[in-house]
Amino acid sequence: MRSIIFFILTGLCWTEAADWSYEGNHGPQNWPGICRYGKKQSPINIIPDAAINTDLGALKFIRYDFAFSSIIKNTGHTVQITLDGVPINLMGGGLPTTYILDQIHIHWSAEHTIDGVRDPMEFHFVHYDKNFDNVTSASKYPKGIAVLAVLFELSDKDNEDLHHIMKAANLVSDWVGPSMAQIDSKVIPSFLLPKDRSNFYRYEGSLTTPGCQQSVIWTVLAEKLTVSESQINILKNVKSSDGNIKFNYRPIQEIGSRDVYHHIEGYSSSSSTASSLLVKVLSFFIVTLIAI
Protein backbone atom coordinates (compact mmCIF):
# COMPACT_ATOMS: atom_id res chain seq x y z
CA MET A 1 0.00 0.00 0.00
CA ARG A 2 2.83 2.40 0.85
CA SER A 3 4.35 1.85 -2.62
CA ILE A 4 1.02 2.52 -4.33
CA ILE A 5 0.54 5.75 -2.37
CA PHE A 6 4.06 6.87 -3.27
CA PHE A 7 3.37 6.31 -6.97
CA ILE A 8 0.14 8.27 -6.85
CA LEU A 9 1.81 11.19 -5.09
CA THR A 10 4.77 11.47 -7.44
CA GLY A 11 3.37 10.30 -10.74
CA LEU A 12 6.82 10.77 -12.26
CA CYS A 13 8.76 7.66 -11.30
CA TRP A 14 8.37 4.10 -10.09
CA THR A 15 7.38 3.15 -6.60
CA GLU A 16 10.55 2.61 -4.59
CA ALA A 17 14.20 3.47 -5.08
CA ALA A 18 15.03 -0.20 -5.73
CA ASP A 19 12.47 -0.46 -8.57
CA TRP A 20 14.64 1.40 -11.08
CA SER A 21 18.23 2.45 -11.30
CA TYR A 22 20.91 3.54 -13.74
CA GLU A 23 22.66 0.17 -13.99
CA GLY A 24 22.06 -3.53 -13.47
CA ASN A 25 18.82 -5.42 -13.87
CA HIS A 26 16.73 -2.32 -13.14
CA GLY A 27 18.78 -0.07 -15.45
CA PRO A 28 17.56 2.01 -18.42
CA GLN A 29 17.56 -0.95 -20.82
CA ASN A 30 14.80 -2.48 -18.70
CA TRP A 31 12.72 0.61 -17.98
CA PRO A 32 9.21 -0.27 -19.15
CA GLY A 33 6.52 1.17 -21.38
CA ILE A 34 7.05 4.47 -23.13
CA CYS A 35 10.61 4.65 -21.74
CA ARG A 36 11.44 1.83 -24.13
CA TYR A 37 9.06 2.45 -27.04
CA GLY A 38 8.53 6.22 -27.06
CA LYS A 39 9.62 8.20 -30.12
CA LYS A 40 10.23 11.51 -28.29
CA GLN A 41 12.54 10.42 -25.50
CA SER A 42 15.28 12.38 -23.72
CA PRO A 43 18.16 13.06 -23.37
CA ILE A 44 19.61 13.51 -26.86
CA ASN A 45 22.94 14.32 -28.46
CA ILE A 46 22.70 17.87 -29.82
CA ILE A 47 24.58 18.49 -33.05
CA PRO A 48 24.86 22.28 -33.46
CA ASP A 49 25.58 22.09 -37.21
CA ALA A 50 22.38 20.08 -37.72
CA ALA A 51 20.17 22.34 -35.58
CA ILE A 52 17.75 24.82 -37.18
CA ASN A 53 18.95 28.36 -36.50
CA THR A 54 16.16 30.71 -35.48
CA ASP A 55 15.24 33.57 -33.15
CA LEU A 56 12.72 32.28 -30.60
CA GLY A 57 12.81 35.46 -28.54
CA ALA A 58 14.48 36.06 -25.19
CA LEU A 59 13.84 33.81 -22.21
CA LYS A 60 12.36 35.63 -19.23
CA PHE A 61 13.42 34.55 -15.75
CA ILE A 62 10.89 35.86 -13.23
CA ARG A 63 12.14 36.07 -9.61
CA TYR A 64 15.18 33.96 -10.46
CA ASP A 65 17.22 36.72 -8.79
CA PHE A 66 15.40 36.39 -5.44
CA ALA A 67 17.03 34.64 -2.47
CA PHE A 68 15.17 31.56 -1.21
CA SER A 69 15.34 29.27 1.79
CA SER A 70 15.82 25.78 0.41
CA ILE A 71 15.65 22.11 1.28
CA ILE A 72 17.86 19.47 -0.34
CA LYS A 73 16.68 15.87 -0.55
CA ASN A 74 18.38 12.60 -1.40
CA THR A 75 15.70 10.86 -3.48
CA GLY A 76 17.74 7.70 -3.96
CA HIS A 77 18.37 8.70 -7.60
CA THR A 78 19.59 12.28 -7.30
CA VAL A 79 19.79 15.24 -4.95
CA GLN A 80 16.86 17.58 -5.38
CA ILE A 81 16.54 21.20 -4.29
CA THR A 82 13.17 22.71 -3.43
CA LEU A 83 12.89 26.46 -2.93
CA ASP A 84 10.46 27.97 -0.43
CA GLY A 85 8.68 31.25 -1.18
CA VAL A 86 6.93 33.12 -3.97
CA PRO A 87 6.57 31.38 -7.35
CA ILE A 88 9.54 31.44 -9.72
CA ASN A 89 8.52 31.64 -13.38
CA LEU A 90 10.04 30.90 -16.76
CA MET A 91 8.48 32.35 -19.91
CA GLY A 92 9.35 33.74 -23.35
CA GLY A 93 11.92 32.12 -25.62
CA GLY A 94 9.22 30.48 -27.72
CA LEU A 95 7.56 28.81 -24.73
CA PRO A 96 3.76 28.58 -25.20
CA THR A 97 2.87 29.76 -21.68
CA THR A 98 4.30 30.69 -18.29
CA TYR A 99 5.88 27.86 -16.30
CA ILE A 100 6.36 27.60 -12.53
CA LEU A 101 9.61 26.22 -11.07
CA ASP A 102 8.94 23.04 -9.08
CA GLN A 103 12.45 21.84 -8.20
CA ILE A 104 16.07 21.67 -9.29
CA HIS A 105 17.97 18.40 -9.42
CA ILE A 106 21.44 17.28 -10.49
CA HIS A 107 22.81 14.65 -12.88
CA TRP A 108 26.38 13.44 -12.79
CA SER A 109 27.61 13.07 -15.52
CA ALA A 110 25.51 15.26 -17.81
CA GLU A 111 22.57 13.70 -19.63
CA HIS A 112 22.59 15.81 -22.80
CA THR A 113 25.70 15.74 -24.94
CA ILE A 114 26.89 18.34 -27.47
CA ASP A 115 28.58 16.85 -30.54
CA GLY A 116 28.99 13.66 -28.52
CA VAL A 117 30.82 15.34 -25.64
CA ARG A 118 29.45 14.50 -22.18
CA ASP A 119 30.16 17.07 -19.47
CA PRO A 120 30.62 16.07 -15.82
CA MET A 121 27.37 17.58 -14.53
CA GLU A 122 23.96 18.91 -15.57
CA PHE A 123 21.36 20.83 -13.56
CA HIS A 124 17.67 20.44 -14.43
CA PHE A 125 15.29 23.26 -13.50
CA VAL A 126 11.90 21.54 -13.69
CA HIS A 127 8.90 23.81 -14.37
CA TYR A 128 5.23 23.05 -14.95
CA ASP A 129 2.53 24.89 -16.90
CA LYS A 130 0.85 27.51 -14.69
CA ASN A 131 -2.57 26.18 -15.78
CA PHE A 132 -2.01 22.98 -13.78
CA ASP A 133 -1.77 22.42 -10.05
CA ASN A 134 1.55 20.58 -10.03
CA VAL A 135 4.14 18.64 -12.03
CA THR A 136 2.18 15.39 -11.81
CA SER A 137 -0.91 16.88 -13.45
CA ALA A 138 1.07 18.82 -16.05
CA SER A 139 3.13 15.77 -17.06
CA LYS A 140 0.02 14.15 -18.52
CA TYR A 141 -0.26 16.77 -21.26
CA PRO A 142 1.93 17.76 -24.23
CA LYS A 143 4.20 20.70 -23.35
CA GLY A 144 2.99 20.53 -19.75
CA ILE A 145 6.57 20.54 -18.47
CA ALA A 146 9.45 22.88 -19.32
CA VAL A 147 12.91 21.80 -18.22
CA LEU A 148 15.85 24.19 -18.36
CA ALA A 149 19.18 22.33 -18.57
CA VAL A 150 22.51 23.85 -17.53
CA LEU A 151 25.74 22.05 -18.39
CA PHE A 152 28.92 22.21 -16.27
CA GLU A 153 32.44 21.65 -17.58
CA LEU A 154 35.36 20.55 -15.46
CA SER A 155 37.58 23.15 -13.79
CA ASP A 156 40.61 23.05 -11.50
CA LYS A 157 38.81 25.38 -9.11
CA ASP A 158 35.67 24.89 -7.05
CA ASN A 159 32.59 26.76 -8.23
CA GLU A 160 31.90 28.97 -5.20
CA ASP A 161 28.24 29.40 -6.18
CA LEU A 162 27.82 25.65 -5.58
CA HIS A 163 29.52 25.62 -2.16
CA HIS A 164 26.42 25.57 0.04
CA ILE A 165 24.58 23.14 -2.24
CA MET A 166 27.49 20.67 -2.20
CA LYS A 167 27.84 21.06 1.55
CA ALA A 168 24.16 20.18 1.97
CA ALA A 169 24.46 17.31 -0.54
CA ASN A 170 27.17 15.85 1.67
CA LEU A 171 24.79 16.03 4.65
CA VAL A 172 22.19 13.88 2.88
CA SER A 173 24.65 11.51 1.23
CA ASP A 174 23.76 8.60 3.53
CA TRP A 175 20.62 6.81 2.37
CA VAL A 176 18.09 6.52 5.22
CA GLY A 177 14.97 6.77 3.13
CA PRO A 178 14.51 10.19 1.52
CA SER A 179 16.95 12.08 3.75
CA MET A 180 16.64 15.88 3.78
CA ALA A 181 18.57 18.89 5.06
CA GLN A 182 18.22 22.66 5.10
CA ILE A 183 20.72 24.45 2.86
CA ASP A 184 22.51 26.78 5.26
CA SER A 185 22.55 29.77 2.93
CA LYS A 186 19.76 31.16 0.77
CA VAL A 187 19.79 30.01 -2.83
CA ILE A 188 19.61 32.56 -5.66
CA PRO A 189 18.59 30.57 -8.76
CA SER A 190 20.16 33.03 -11.21
CA PHE A 191 23.57 32.26 -9.67
CA LEU A 192 23.12 28.70 -10.95
CA LEU A 193 22.69 29.91 -14.53
CA PRO A 194 25.35 31.16 -16.96
CA LYS A 195 25.42 34.91 -17.52
CA ASP A 196 24.69 34.48 -21.23
CA ARG A 197 21.23 32.96 -21.62
CA SER A 198 20.65 34.25 -25.13
CA ASN A 199 22.07 31.15 -26.82
CA PHE A 200 20.16 27.91 -26.32
CA TYR A 201 18.86 24.73 -27.94
CA ARG A 202 15.18 23.73 -27.97
CA TYR A 203 13.44 20.46 -28.69
CA GLU A 204 10.43 18.43 -27.54
CA GLY A 205 11.13 15.34 -25.47
CA SER A 206 10.44 13.49 -22.26
CA LEU A 207 11.27 13.16 -18.62
CA THR A 208 14.55 11.26 -18.30
CA THR A 209 13.34 8.98 -15.50
CA PRO A 210 10.47 6.46 -15.39
CA GLY A 211 7.73 6.88 -16.51
CA CYS A 212 9.44 9.00 -19.22
CA GLN A 213 6.31 11.04 -20.05
CA GLN A 214 6.69 12.79 -23.43
CA SER A 215 5.43 16.11 -22.13
CA VAL A 216 8.62 18.16 -21.91
CA ILE A 217 9.81 21.25 -23.76
CA TRP A 218 13.58 21.18 -23.33
CA THR A 219 15.76 24.28 -23.24
CA VAL A 220 19.50 23.49 -23.10
CA LEU A 221 21.64 26.56 -22.50
CA ALA A 222 24.70 26.69 -24.77
CA GLU A 223 27.01 28.51 -22.35
CA LYS A 224 28.36 26.31 -19.57
CA LEU A 225 29.28 26.82 -15.93
CA THR A 226 32.17 25.09 -14.16
CA VAL A 227 32.51 22.46 -11.46
CA SER A 228 35.59 20.91 -9.85
CA GLU A 229 36.41 17.23 -9.56
CA SER A 230 36.23 17.46 -5.77
CA GLN A 231 32.67 18.80 -6.03
CA ILE A 232 31.70 16.00 -8.42
CA ASN A 233 33.16 13.48 -5.96
CA ILE A 234 30.73 14.73 -3.29
CA LEU A 235 27.88 13.74 -5.59
CA LYS A 236 29.44 10.35 -6.37
CA ASN A 237 29.38 9.63 -2.63
CA VAL A 238 25.61 10.15 -2.41
CA LYS A 239 24.06 6.79 -1.59
CA SER A 240 20.87 4.99 -2.51
CA SER A 241 19.50 1.75 -1.11
CA ASP A 242 21.86 -0.03 -3.55
CA GLY A 243 25.02 1.84 -2.55
CA ASN A 244 26.81 4.88 -3.98
CA ILE A 245 25.20 6.59 -6.95
CA LYS A 246 28.32 6.61 -9.11
CA PHE A 247 26.40 8.16 -11.99
CA ASN A 248 22.79 9.05 -12.70
CA TYR A 249 22.46 9.87 -16.36
CA ARG A 250 20.22 8.12 -18.84
CA PRO A 251 21.84 7.00 -22.12
CA ILE A 252 21.32 9.13 -25.23
CA GLN A 253 18.01 8.54 -27.03
CA GLU A 254 17.30 8.67 -30.76
CA ILE A 255 16.24 12.06 -32.12
CA GLY A 256 14.21 10.42 -34.86
CA SER A 257 12.15 12.87 -36.89
CA ARG A 258 12.28 15.63 -34.29
CA ASP A 259 13.67 19.08 -35.03
CA VAL A 260 16.25 20.68 -32.76
CA TYR A 261 16.29 24.48 -32.81
CA HIS A 262 19.24 26.71 -32.03
CA HIS A 263 18.10 30.09 -30.73
CA ILE A 264 20.40 32.87 -31.86
CA GLU A 265 19.32 36.35 -30.85
CA GLY A 266 18.65 38.53 -33.90
CA TYR A 267 18.99 35.63 -36.32
CA SER A 268 17.11 36.07 -39.60
CA SER A 269 16.80 33.36 -42.22
CA SER A 270 16.55 36.05 -44.93
CA SER A 271 19.78 37.72 -43.83
CA SER A 272 21.43 34.30 -43.65
CA THR A 273 20.31 33.56 -47.23
CA ALA A 274 21.62 36.93 -48.38
CA SER A 275 24.96 36.29 -46.69
CA SER A 276 25.20 32.88 -48.31
CA LEU A 277 24.44 34.40 -51.73
CA LEU A 278 27.08 37.10 -51.20
CA VAL A 279 29.68 34.44 -50.34
CA LYS A 280 28.83 32.55 -53.52
CA VAL A 281 29.09 35.70 -55.66
CA LEU A 282 32.44 36.66 -54.13
CA SER A 283 33.71 33.13 -54.63
CA PHE A 284 32.69 33.30 -58.30
CA PHE A 285 34.59 36.56 -58.87
CA ILE A 286 37.69 35.24 -57.06
CA VAL A 287 37.71 32.08 -59.18
CA THR A 288 37.24 34.21 -62.33
CA LEU A 289 40.15 36.51 -61.41
CA ILE A 290 42.41 33.55 -60.72
CA ALA A 291 41.52 32.04 -64.08
CA ILE A 292 42.45 35.29 -65.82
Side-chain angles (χ1 to χ4, degrees):
M1 178 61 73
R2 178 184 169 191
S3 295
I4 295 172
I5 292 172
F6 182 82
F7 177 80
I8 293 171
L9 288 175
T10 61
L12 298 178
C13 58
W14 296 3
T15 54
E16 298 288 348
D19 287 340
W20 67 271
S21 66
Y22 289 96
E23 55 184 336
N25 293 333
H26 298 292
Q29 71 278 7
N30 292 320
W31 293 356
I34 199 169
C35 296
R36 184 178 299 182
Y37 303 113
K39 302 300 183 182
K40 295 172 66 176
Q41 290 292 292
S42 298
I44 63 170
N45 175 45
I46 296 171
I47 305 172
D49 287 346
I52 300 170
N53 294 330
T54 187
D55 187 346
L56 295 170
L59 288 167
K60 297 180 181 179
F61 298 86
I62 312 301
R63 290 182 284 275
Y64 259 73
D65 56 348
F66 285 24
F68 295 88
S69 297
S70 307
I71 294 290
I72 193 166
K73 176 181 178 181
N74 176 358
T75 69
H77 302 106
T78 184
V79 288
Q80 178 176 296
I81 302 161
T82 304
L83 309 179
D84 181 34
V86 294
I88 305 167
N89 299 140
L90 180 67
M91 58 190 296
L95 294 173
T97 186
T98 298
Y99 291 84
I100 301 169
L101 181 66
D102 180 69
Q103 46 93 353
I104 307 164
H105 64 266
I106 309 174
H107 291 273
W108 57 93
S109 299
E111 294 208 293
H112 289 89
T113 59
I114 308 292
D115 275 337
V117 175
R118 189 182 301 280
D119 289 302
M121 188 170 75
E122 180 174 338
F123 271 33
H124 287 170
F125 295 72
V126 181
H127 307 74
Y128 61 92
D129 185 332
K130 68 173 184 178
N131 296 302
F132 297 98
D133 292 333
N134 50 48
V135 170
T136 303
S137 298
S139 69
K140 300 173 183 176
Y141 297 89
K143 302 181 182 180
I145 305 293
V147 181
L148 179 72
V150 178
L151 298 170
F152 290 73
E153 57 190 359
L154 202 60
S155 170
D156 292 335
K157 298 180 180 179
D158 286 352
N159 182 333
E160 292 303 321
D161 291 326
L162 299 177
H163 173 74
H164 295 285
I165 290 173
M166 293 301 176
K167 181 179 177 182
N170 192 46
L171 291 176
V172 299
S173 61
D174 289 333
W175 172 252
V176 285
S179 51
M180 293 184 288
Q182 184 85 33
I183 298 177
D184 65 5
S185 179
K186 290 193 174 181
V187 172
I188 301 175
S190 63
F191 285 10
L192 305 177
L193 303 178
K195 288 184 172 61
D196 181 6
R197 303 155 201 167
S198 64
N199 189 351
F200 60 83
Y201 300 98
R202 165 69 49 73
Y203 77 99
E204 293 186 19
S206 73
L207 297 172
T208 63
T209 57
C212 306
Q213 290 93 327
Q214 298 182 151
S215 55
V216 182
I217 300 178
W218 280 94
T219 302
V220 182
L221 296 182
E223 184 174 337
K224 301 176 184 180
L225 294 177
T226 61
V227 63
S228 70
E229 189 170 353
S230 61
Q231 289 176 316
I232 292 294
N233 286 336
I234 290 173
L235 298 174
K236 290 181 178 179
N237 284 323
V238 173
K239 297 177 178 61
S240 72
S241 57
D242 295 322
N244 285 21
I245 306 173
K246 294 175 289 187
F247 64 91
N248 64 348
Y249 63 89
R250 186 188 189 191
I252 293 299
Q253 305 296 299
E254 294 291 335
I255 295 177
S257 61
R258 287 177 285 175
D259 290 325
V260 178
Y261 296 92
H262 183 189
H263 166 76
I264 303 173
E265 191 172 344
Y267 180 87
S268 168
S269 59
S270 58
S271 62
S272 176
T273 302
S275 297
S276 178
L277 181 60
L278 179 61
V279 169
K280 289 179 181 178
V281 171
L282 288 173
S283 298
F284 172 78
F285 279 115
I286 291 170
V287 170
T288 302
L289 287 171
I290 292 173
I292 294 172

Coordinates of all heavy atoms in Angstrom, one line a residue, residues 62-94:
I62 N 11.6 35.0 -14.2 CA 10.9 35.9 -13.2 C 11.2 35.4 -11.8 O 11.0 34.2 -11.5 CB 9.4 35.8 -13.5 CG1 9.0 36.0 -15.0 CG2 8.6 36.8 -12.6 CD1 9.5 37.3 -15.5
R63 N 11.7 36.3 -11.0 CA 12.1 36.1 -9.6 C 13.3 35.1 -9.5 O 13.5 34.5 -8.4 CB 10.9 35.7 -8.8 CG 10.0 36.8 -8.5 CD 8.8 36.5 -7.6 NE 7.8 35.6 -8.3 CZ 6.8 36.1 -9.1 NH1 6.7 37.4 -9.3 NH2 6.0 35.3 -9.7
Y64 N 14.0 34.8 -10.5 CA 15.2 34.0 -10.5 C 16.3 34.7 -9.7 O 17.2 34.0 -9.2 CB 15.7 33.6 -11.9 CG 15.3 32.2 -12.3 CD1 14.0 31.9 -12.7 CD2 16.2 31.2 -12.4 CE1 13.6 30.7 -13.2 CE2 15.9 30.0 -12.9 CZ 14.6 29.7 -13.2 OH 14.3 28.4 -13.7
D65 N 16.2 36.0 -9.5 CA 17.2 36.7 -8.8 C 16.9 36.9 -7.3 O 17.6 37.6 -6.6 CB 17.5 38.1 -9.5 CG 16.2 38.9 -9.6 OD1 15.1 38.4 -9.4 OD2 16.4 40.1 -10.0
F66 N 15.8 36.3 -6.9 CA 15.4 36.4 -5.4 C 16.2 35.4 -4.7 O 16.7 34.4 -5.2 CB 13.9 36.1 -5.2 CG 13.0 37.2 -5.6 CD1 13.4 38.2 -6.6 CD2 11.7 37.3 -5.1 CE1 12.5 39.2 -6.9 CE2 10.9 38.3 -5.4 CZ 11.3 39.3 -6.4
A67 N 16.3 35.6 -3.4 CA 17.0 34.6 -2.5 C 16.0 33.8 -1.7 O 15.1 34.3 -1.1 CB 17.9 35.4 -1.5
F68 N 16.2 32.5 -1.8 CA 15.2 31.6 -1.2 C 15.8 30.6 -0.2 O 16.9 30.1 -0.4 CB 14.6 30.7 -2.3 CG 13.8 31.5 -3.3 CD1 14.4 32.0 -4.5 CD2 12.4 31.7 -3.2 CE1 13.7 32.7 -5.4 CE2 11.7 32.4 -4.1 CZ 12.3 32.9 -5.2
S69 N 15.0 30.4 0.9 CA 15.3 29.3 1.8 C 15.1 28.0 1.0 O 14.1 27.9 0.3 CB 14.5 29.3 3.1 OG 14.7 30.5 3.8
S70 N 15.9 27.0 1.2 CA 15.8 25.8 0.4 C 16.1 24.5 1.2 O 16.8 24.5 2.2 CB 16.8 25.9 -0.8 OG 16.7 27.1 -1.5
I71 N 15.4 23.5 0.7 CA 15.7 22.1 1.3 C 16.3 21.3 0.2 O 16.0 21.4 -1.0 CB 14.3 21.5 1.7 CG1 13.7 22.2 2.8 CG2 14.5 20.0 2.0 CD1 14.4 22.1 4.2
I72 N 17.3 20.4 0.6 CA 17.9 19.5 -0.3 C 17.5 18.1 0.1 O 17.4 17.8 1.3 CB 19.4 19.6 -0.4 CG1 19.9 18.9 -1.6 CG2 20.1 19.2 0.9 CD1 21.4 19.2 -2.0
K73 N 17.2 17.2 -0.8 CA 16.7 15.9 -0.5 C 17.4 14.8 -1.4 O 17.7 15.0 -2.6 CB 15.2 15.8 -0.9 CG 14.5 14.4 -0.7 CD 13.1 14.5 -1.1 CE 12.4 13.1 -1.0 NZ 11.0 13.2 -1.4
N74 N 17.8 13.8 -0.7 CA 18.4 12.6 -1.4 C 17.2 11.7 -1.8 O 16.6 11.1 -0.9 CB 19.4 11.9 -0.5 CG 19.9 10.6 -1.1 OD1 19.5 10.2 -2.2 ND2 20.8 9.9 -0.3
T75 N 16.9 11.7 -3.1 CA 15.7 10.9 -3.5 C 16.0 9.4 -3.7 O 15.1 8.6 -4.0 CB 15.1 11.4 -4.8 OG1 16.1 11.2 -5.9 CG2 14.9 12.9 -4.7
G76 N 17.3 9.0 -3.6 CA 17.7 7.7 -4.0 C 18.2 7.6 -5.4 O 18.8 6.6 -5.8
H77 N 17.9 8.7 -6.2 CA 18.4 8.7 -7.6 C 19.1 10.0 -7.9 O 19.9 10.0 -8.9 CB 17.2 8.6 -8.5 CG 16.3 7.4 -8.3 ND1 15.1 7.4 -7.7 CD2 16.6 6.1 -8.7 CE1 14.6 6.1 -7.7 NE2 15.5 5.3 -8.2
T78 N 18.9 11.0 -7.1 CA 19.6 12.3 -7.3 C 19.5 13.1 -6.0 O 18.9 12.6 -5.0 CB 18.9 13.1 -8.5 OG1 19.6 14.3 -8.7 CG2 17.5 13.4 -8.1
V79 N 20.1 14.3 -6.0 CA 19.8 15.2 -5.0 C 18.9 16.3 -5.6 O 19.2 16.8 -6.7 CB 21.1 15.8 -4.3 CG1 21.7 14.8 -3.4 CG2 22.0 16.4 -5.3
Q80 N 17.9 16.7 -4.9 CA 16.9 17.6 -5.4 C 16.7 18.8 -4.5 O 16.6 18.6 -3.2 CB 15.5 16.8 -5.5 CG 14.4 17.6 -6.0 CD 13.1 16.7 -6.2 OE1 13.1 15.8 -7.0 NE2 12.1 17.0 -5.4
I81 N 16.7 20.0 -5.1 CA 16.5 21.2 -4.3 C 15.2 21.8 -4.5 O 14.7 22.0 -5.6 CB 17.6 22.2 -4.8 CG1 19.0 21.6 -4.6 CG2 17.5 23.5 -4.0 CD1 20.1 22.3 -5.5
T82 N 14.5 22.1 -3.4 CA 13.2 22.7 -3.4 C 13.3 24.1 -2.7 O 13.7 24.1 -1.6 CB 12.1 21.8 -2.7 OG1 12.1 20.5 -3.3 CG2 10.7 22.4 -2.9
L83 N 12.8 25.1 -3.4 CA 12.9 26.5 -2.9 C 11.6 26.8 -2.3 O 10.5 26.5 -2.8 CB 13.2 27.4 -4.1 CG 14.4 27.1 -4.9 CD1 14.6 28.1 -6.0 CD2 15.7 26.9 -4.1
D84 N 11.6 27.6 -1.2 CA 10.5 28.0 -0.4 C 10.2 29.5 -0.6 O 11.1 30.3 -0.3 CB 10.7 27.6 1.0 CG 9.4 28.0 1.9 OD1 8.3 27.8 1.4 OD2 9.6 28.4 3.0
G85 N 9.0 29.8 -1.1 CA 8.7 31.2 -1.2 C 7.8 31.5 -2.4 O 7.0 30.6 -2.8
V86 N 7.8 32.7 -2.9 CA 6.9 33.1 -4.0 C 7.3 32.3 -5.2 O 8.4 31.9 -5.4 CB 7.1 34.6 -4.3 CG1 6.5 35.4 -3.1 CG2 8.5 35.0 -4.6
P87 N 6.3 32.2 -6.1 CA 6.6 31.4 -7.4 C 7.7 32.0 -8.2 O 7.9 33.2 -8.3 CB 5.2 31.4 -8.1 CG 4.2 31.8 -7.1 CD 4.9 32.6 -6.1
I88 N 8.5 31.1 -8.8 CA 9.5 31.4 -9.7 C 9.1 31.0 -11.1 O 8.7 29.9 -11.3 CB 10.8 30.7 -9.3 CG1 11.2 31.0 -7.9 CG2 12.0 31.1 -10.3 CD1 12.3 30.1 -7.3
N89 N 9.1 31.9 -12.1 CA 8.5 31.6 -13.4 C 9.5 31.7 -14.5 O 10.5 32.5 -14.4 CB 7.4 32.6 -13.7 CG 6.2 32.6 -12.7 OD1 5.7 33.6 -12.3 ND2 5.9 31.4 -12.3
L90 N 9.3 30.9 -15.5 CA 10.0 30.9 -16.8 C 9.1 31.1 -17.9 O 8.0 30.4 -18.0 CB 10.8 29.6 -17.0 CG 11.6 29.4 -18.2 CD1 12.8 30.4 -18.2 CD2 12.1 28.0 -18.4
M91 N 9.4 32.1 -18.8 CA 8.5 32.3 -19.9 C 9.3 32.9 -21.1 O 10.5 33.1 -20.9 CB 7.4 33.3 -19.5 CG 7.9 34.7 -19.0 SD 6.6 35.7 -18.2 CE 5.6 36.0 -19.6
G92 N 8.6 33.2 -22.2 CA 9.4 33.7 -23.4 C 10.2 32.7 -24.0 O 10.0 31.5 -23.8
G93 N 11.1 33.1 -24.9 CA 11.9 32.1 -25.6 C 11.2 31.1 -26.4 O 11.6 30.0 -26.6
G94 N 10.0 31.4 -26.9 CA 9.2 30.5 -27.7 C 8.4 29.5 -26.9 O 7.7 28.7 -27.5

